[in-house]
Amino acid sequence: MEKKELTIKQILEQLIDLKEEYKDKHEAIERLEEYIIKLEQDGYTEIDSVTGGNGGKQHFMIEGVPYPLYSYKKTQLQMRKMALEEIKEKINKQIIIAEEIINMQENSRIRRLLTYRYIDNMTWVQIAHRMGKNHTADSCRKTIERFWVEHRT
């Protein structure tokens, strides 16, 4: 099966998607860490009753930490942290690819706009400010939209 070459836009959009995935995974890790801390601080225990002794006629209350749940959550946390590091590596590789493609563009203005938008994650307003006078958020956005129309391949 032949591997299809990605367009400039697809490569840059993949970078944005990876950054969003990283953010989502990071937030999930924070939530899980908070849950584990709560388990540890609250001394989360479960209470159950068992029957035994005296021919099974006595009832006993037992209390303990649900170690399987705690252990599972700690393992889940480690797995998520490893996945986060893998995404970070992918982002770094994608940035290198994106910068190479951006630097291949002949127009300096386009290179700056693409860098600010896709590498630096700036909003259109921030980009316009960085580009200087005679630039608006709308003009910057439209310039990139026209660039995509011209570079659909």
Side-chain angles (χ1 to χ4, degrees), residues 66-86:
Y67 185 76
L69 172 66
Y70 180 77
S71 177
Y72 170 75
K73 293 296 182 183
K74 291 291 271 187
T75 302
Q76 187 181 32
L77 179 62
Q78 288 306 113
M79 297 299 288
R80 285 185 182 174
K81 285 183 175 182
M82 288 180 0
L84 188 68
E85 284 304 310
E86 288 175 14

Side-chain angles (χ1 to χ4, degrees), residues 19-35:
K19 288 178 181 181
E20 285 299 315
E21 182 181 6
Y22 182 88
K23 189 172 98 180
D24 293 344
K25 188 74 71 180
H26 189 268
E27 289 170 358
I29 287 171
E30 286 178 344
R31 286 190 304 273
L32 187 55
E33 285 174 332
E34 288 171 8
Y35 180 78

Side-chain angles (χ1 to χ4, degrees), residues 91-104:
I91 289 171
N92 291 334
K93 289 177 184 177
Q94 196 71 15
I95 286 173
I96 291 169
I97 293 167
E99 285 179 333
E100 286 176 1
I101 289 173
I102 290 170
N103 290 331
M104 290 171 53

Side-chain angles (χ1 to χ4, degrees), residues 51-59:
T51 332
N54 220 10
K57 295 179 183 176
Q58 291 181 319
H59 293 284

